[in-house]
């Protein structure tokens, strides 16, 4: 069977401008429309594996053979795939996001506190969503409701007064 690297096949001019790692590959094209980002399904197709295998390669890599993990990794790079954390949160019921509301970030004490929270969250695999309420309790309450509505798993309120 002929492969795209065979000299007998016509060369696609677009492949000459592709990065060296992607020249001559037979991976599936990126997403059907350039308007939408690639999905896990697109990655699975490009790696010639099932969607379940592609998912396991991300979430439980120790359960996937090395060769399959490498194919999934190559497809991720080729398609420039970024996992959709919102979709993951829907399935797992875990957002991996913490919220913090501080009175202000102009005060070095609060800024240092935010830096400490961020470092601890990041070290545990969480992201931090930050808001400053400017010492306004009504604004703090609205921000807290917004964060809870966005699915934060925990909320840190900094200051001495809260509603």
């Amino acid at each position: 069977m002929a492969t795209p690297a065979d000299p007998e096949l016509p060369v696609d001019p677009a492949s000459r401008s592709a990065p060296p790692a992607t020249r001559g590959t037979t991976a599936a094209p990126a997403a059907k429309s350039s308007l939408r980002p690639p999905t896990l399904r697109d990655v699975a197709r490009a790696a010639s594996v099932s969607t379940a295998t592609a998912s396991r390669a991300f979430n439980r890599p120790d359960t996937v053979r090395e060769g399959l993990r490498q194919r999934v990794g190559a497809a991720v790079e080729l398609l420039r795939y970024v996992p959709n954390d919102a979709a993951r949160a829907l399935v797992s019921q875990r957002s991996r996001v913490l919220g913090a509301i501080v009175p202000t970030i102009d005060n070095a004490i609060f800024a240092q506190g935010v830096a400490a929270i961020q470092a601890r969250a990041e070290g545990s695999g969480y992201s931090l969503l930050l808001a400053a309420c400017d010492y306004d309790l009504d604004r703090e309450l609205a921000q807290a409701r917004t964060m809870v509505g966005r699915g934060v798993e925990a909320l840190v309120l900094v200051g001495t007064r809260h509603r």
Side-chain angles (χ1 to χ4, degrees):
M1 180 170 133
T3 63
D6 288 346
E8 303 170 9
L9 295 176
V11 176
D12 176 11
S15 69
R16 292 182 187 186
S17 63
T22 61
R23 275 192 217 128
T25 62
T26 57
K32 291 178 185 174
S33 166
S34 62
L35 298 178
R36 75 168 174 84
T39 63
L40 184 62
R41 182 175 291 158
D42 296 326
V43 169
R45 277 193 205 114
S48 298
V49 298
S50 70
T51 304
T53 298
S55 177
R56 278 195 310 276
F58 280 107
N59 299 314
R60 296 191 343 238
D62 54 310
T63 65
V64 179
R65 288 192 331 252
E66 178 65 25
L68 293 178
R69 280 197 317 263
Q70 288 177 353
R71 283 182 12 211
V72 170
V76 164
E77 287 185 35
L78 176 69
L79 299 174
R80 296 185 179 131
Y81 172 74
V82 176
N84 184 328
D85 287 337
R88 181 179 289 176
L90 281 174
V91 171
S92 69
Q93 296 293 301
R94 304 274 322 259
S95 68
R96 310 287 302 170
V97 175
L98 307 177
I101 304 173
V102 296
T104 181
I105 54 174
D106 290 335
N107 185 318
I109 293 295
F110 296 130
Q112 290 170 354
V114 167
I117 294 168
Q118 171 67 34
R120 185 66 182 248
E122 194 173 275
S124 300
Y126 284 80
S127 296
L128 179 65
L129 184 60
L130 177 66
C133 66
D134 294 323
Y135 298 94
D136 181 334
L137 297 182
D138 291 330
R139 187 171 179 193
E140 180 188 62
L141 180 60
Q143 290 168 335
R145 286 182 172 154
T146 297
M147 287 186 181
V148 169
R150 293 190 183 252
V152 297
E153 291 187 31
L155 185 58
V156 177
L157 300 176
V158 179
T160 57
R161 294 183 10 193
H162 309 286
R163 282 200 171 185

